[in-house]
Amino acid sequence: MRTAILGAGALGIIIGALMTKNGKQVELIDSFKENVNALNANGATVTGNLELHQPVKAITPEEMTGTYDLILLLTKQTANATALPKLLPYLHKDSIVCTLQNGVPEDLVASYVGKERTIGGAVGFGATWLKPGVSELTSTLEAVEKFAFEIGEIDGVLRPRLEEVKETLSAAGGTTILTNLMGIRYTKLLMNSTFSGMSAALNGTFSDVLANPKAMVCVAHIADEVIKVCHVLGYRMVEMQGADMEFLELSSKADIPSKMDFYKKVWGRHNNKASMLQDLEKGNKTEIDYINGVVCLGGQKCGVPTPFNDMVVKLVKEAEARGGVNDFNYLERFNEIIESAK
Ligand SMILES: NC(=O)C1=CN([C@@H]2O[C@H](COP(=O)(O)OP(=O)(O)OC[C@H]3O[C@@H](n4cnc5c(N)ncnc54)[C@H](OP(=O)(O)O)[C@@H]3O)[C@@H](O)[C@H]2O)C=CC1
Ligand SMILES: CC(C)(CO)C(=O)C(=O)O
């Protein structure tokens, strides 16, 4: 299988390094020339919870030739409109584009490369891009080995190609095939809308959010909104890394205290800084429209109010527009909706 990773950033560097180390031939394609040069000159360097130095092959999109059997899509969703049309000449009829991006990217990706060529998956570990060619693994190595990828087809059918993709991805980490791709998409969307959303909206790590009682009230409502939208759209959350997010649905705000131990247990082991916050720090556009924004849009379509996700989107967009980050004083902006929540 001729394989490439499109987007050799925080995740792409780690996944490319591990796949290459474990015997797969994979090209790392990235539009940031300095990053490509560093990867070719010095290899891919992984720090943090894994120390690895691995020679890899990296190219810019302009250097692509021939066609690929498998593209692992690891650019931000904000780059899809630019990256995907340019990918088309390098795909054949049976090429597979596996989007490992956060959010629910399959329909957008399929609109460029075709539904029949699109599959998707959720990534179960975190990473931070440090400098050209260097990425930090911020989750445990155990999370990579056990839960790196959960992949599936848009229509849930178990086609043989999923086994081929699993075989390739397994060189980087634990890979599971699911029949309920949308279930894992909404489960990961809950993880991202809550802690990544609040981390980006307030400029804090997941631990900072977890340690703040008022931020956690917001998190509890954000999660409840994601679950209610997910249900009205006809999906159910699936277990992710042993945690059943359905437990986080609220019947009223009186339920919130009973959910706190669950949050501590699941998020206490991830002291990440959300990739959306890393984008704000770099002055880049974030994926907020593709994460909390997806919940807001789903809510509008199916009549579920999403005031907490709406506020997260608003705060992150304000920071984007200013070209900076917020701080925990911005929690005040949630006062009115916390007051009026039932
Ligand atoms: N980081 C994390 O912990 C996790 C991230 N994800 C998801 O994975 C996806 C990738 O995230 P992450 O690795 O953090 O992203 P990064 O921003 O670190 O990496 C993306 C890379 O793609 C490059 N790029 C941008 N446009 C193009 C293009 N047109 N063609 C080729 N390369 C391009 C970027 O260059 P430049 O910087 O110059 O734009 C960058 O080097 C996102 O959807 C994210 O939500 C999922 C789980 C965890
Ligand atoms: C939650 C996390 C860090 C992965 O664990 C992530 O998906 C992100 O920050 O984009």
Side-chain angles (χ1 to χ4, degrees), residues 191-206 208-210 212 214-220 222 274 276-277 288 292 308-309 311-312 315-316 326-328 330-331 334 338:
M191 301 192 73
N192 287 135
S193 300
T194 49
F195 282 83
S196 304
M198 290 300 272
S199 161
L202 302 175
N203 183 23
T205 62
F206 293 178
D208 297 330
V209 174
L210 205 50
N212 186 301
K214 188 165 163 182
M216 287 307 297
V217 168
C218 299
V219 161
I222 293 167
M276 286 196 288
L277 177 55
I288 194 72
N292 299 76
F308 285 86
N309 280 282
M311 183 55 75
V312 172
L315 293 179
V316 172
N326 299 332
D327 59 41
F328 270 71
Y330 281 76
L331 263 178
F334 288 92
I338 292 177

Side-chain angles (χ1 to χ4, degrees), residues 133-196:
V134 185
S135 182
E136 178 188 2
L137 176 65
T138 51
S139 300
T140 60
L141 188 56
E142 191 193 6
V144 180
E145 285 167 354
K146 282 192 182 163
F147 307 116
F149 312 104
E150 300 194 62
I151 58 167
E153 296 271 0
I154 297 175
D155 61 9
V157 173
L158 291 176
R159 299 192 174 82
R161 65 181 180 177
L162 283 176
E163 285 296 344
E164 291 179 57
V165 178
K166 176 178 172 175
E167 206 271 321
T168 301
L169 285 173
S170 297
T175 306
T176 307
I177 293 175
L178 298 176
T179 51
N180 181 2
L181 178 63
M182 286 303 128
I184 197 72
R185 279 299 188 196
Y186 276 85
T187 305
K188 182 76 199 278
L189 190 64
L190 183 151
M191 301 192 73
N192 287 135
S193 300
T194 49
F195 282 83
S196 304

